[in-house]
Amino acid sequence: MYEYIGSLHIHSRFSDGSASIPEIAYEAEKAGMDFICITDHQTLEGKEQGLDGWYGKTLVIIGAELNRKRNHYLAFNLKELVEDTSDNPQQTISQVKNQGGIGFLAHPCEKGSPLIMQGQSFPWTDWQVEGFDGIELWNFCSQWREQACSRLKLFYWYFFNRSAPLSSGAPEELLQKWDEWTQKRRISAIGGTDAHAFPLQYGPLRGIFLPYPYLFRTINTHILLSQKMQAESALAQAQVLKALQKGSAFIANNAVSPAQGFVFSAFNRNREVGMGEEINHDSALSLKISSPNPRSRIRIIKNGKLVYTTNKSSLIFKVLKPGVFRVEVYYRPRVGRPRPWIYSNPIYVR
Ligand SMILES: [Zn+2]
Ligand SMILES: [Zn+2]
């Protein structure tokens, strides 16, 4: 398998981001991103101007973040822009699907902070919707805002411990919802930064709030492809989007520790499958899990329940009965509590 690292959910100047797509791509390449996904609010202007494609070693894919007031939906493969139907998210999902697009519920459990953006938040409101491909399980800026409950904390974090707000991990409520859904059908998960890099001005001080280069080194989505990424941009984009749709991917906060090389697969005597795939149960069926850092705590979750925890960095786990399996890896620092680090997509054992 070939592993590629991407940064997803990025805003450019075509909406409320602060840099152009070529500028963002330049920073992404410097940060070692194999691909990035630009999702400006309610516009496909970047794509219409032909700004997607390769920028050096980095592939730029342009989708859109649909709906403004609530029910934000990250959509890709769109032939044309879908109208804002903030109050009817099923319509948004269906319109994307009808034109062959794929989509993810963006920061579905967003809570906001009274200190930032006048307390505004943009959660998902209708949990009965159908037909979406996946969810954005972990969103850097959403979580950052949500944890900011005092100005002092905000200031301290920003200057001294920027990734502290991420130590609570993906929202518990959303993990539960996802586990419920995946027992009924396959739903993939991605991670995003929601990068805007807002310019800041505080008295004489000027700066950029959570700049792009910083965010590229935080929550990433790592995809696994059976073939190398193609040189032709359209083919490479299709490969990446297919992996995201299928869930051949895991989410990692690379600010905690580099997550390249994480392995989660299921195998029996005849075959081995990866994340996002299905395999039939038999007496030999086992899971293979391996973390790239020895300071790991691996947690195996089956049908939404924690079934096994170990401080080893790799293991073979025998599967006794079918179910939907996923893995979380926490990083164990020398001092302090283990930190949420990696979330796998599920393997479906039938
Ligand atoms: Zn949003
Ligand atoms: Zn956004």
Side-chain angles (χ1 to χ4, degrees), residues 9 11 41 65 194 196:
H9 194 160
H11 296 272
H41 294 286
E65 183 169 16
D194 218 344
H196 290 81

Side-chain angles (χ1 to χ4, degrees), residues 274-300:
M275 289 170 268
E277 293 185 284
E278 292 186 12
I279 187 165
N280 286 332
H281 185 260
D282 68 19
S283 61
L285 193 76
S286 301
L287 305 178
K288 179 159 73 183
I289 302 158
S290 175
S291 159
N293 193 307
R295 303 200 63 82
S296 294
R297 172 167 299 166
I298 292 175
R299 293 154 52 91
I300 303 177

Side-chain angles (χ1 to χ4, degrees), residues 9 11 41 65 67 72 74 106-107 110 122 139 194 196:
H9 194 160
H11 296 272
H41 294 286
E65 183 169 16
N67 293 340
H72 288 186
L74 301 174
H107 46 73
E110 185 169 273
F122 308 93
N139 175 306
D194 218 344
H196 290 81

Side-chain angles (χ1 to χ4, degrees), residues 77-242:
N77 250 352
L78 295 175
K79 293 188 182 73
E80 56 185 36
L81 189 66
V82 167
E83 59 173 326
D84 183 331
T85 50
S86 289
D87 291 316
N88 186 353
Q90 186 59 63
Q91 192 179 328
T92 316
I93 293 170
S94 303
Q95 283 183 338
V96 167
K97 211 177 167 69
N98 290 344
Q99 48 167 299
I102 67 170
F104 302 85
L105 316 191
H107 46 73
C109 293
E110 185 169 273
K111 301 222 161 39
S113 157
L115 297 176
I116 304 173
M117 294 161 63
Q118 292 88 41
Q120 271 183 310
S121 69
F122 308 93
W124 196 268
T125 57
D126 179 359
W127 298 100
Q128 307 306 319
V129 289
E130 288 166 3
F132 56 97
D133 297 279
I135 57 167
E136 184 187 36
L137 185 68
W138 207 5
N139 175 306
F140 189 98
C141 287
S142 250
Q143 188 155 45
W144 225 94
R145 288 206 336 260
E146 190 173 314
Q147 302 288 322
C149 49
S150 78
R151 261 175 232 284
L152 191 67
K153 228 176 180 177
L154 200 70
F155 189 82
Y156 172 74
W157 280 345
Y158 194 78
F159 291 101
F160 302 105
N161 193 359
R162 217 173 256 188
S163 67
L166 273 290
S167 55
S168 50
E172 202 48 53
E173 195 188 339
L174 185 57
L175 284 164
Q176 266 181 31
K177 197 89 216 158
W178 184 39
D179 287 330
E180 274 170 39
W181 280 330
T182 54
Q183 285 176 67
K184 296 182 195 122
R185 71 174 180 98
R186 284 156 62 165
I187 289 178
S188 73
I190 56 170
T193 58
D194 218 344
H196 290 81
F198 289 123
L200 280 182
Q201 198 179 350
Y202 196 76
L205 301 172
R206 278 164 200 274
I208 299 278
F209 184 64
L210 299 173
Y212 297 105
Y214 170 73
L215 288 171
F216 289 144
R217 295 175 169 87
T218 60
I219 296 182
N220 298 119
T221 303
H222 298 228
I223 58 165
L224 295 158
L225 302 179
S226 55
Q227 287 180 339
K228 272 194 175 174
M229 258 210 250
Q230 303 283 313
E232 196 186 318
S233 148
L235 295 177
Q237 293 192 44
Q239 282 177 294
V240 173
L241 291 174
K242 198 173 162 204

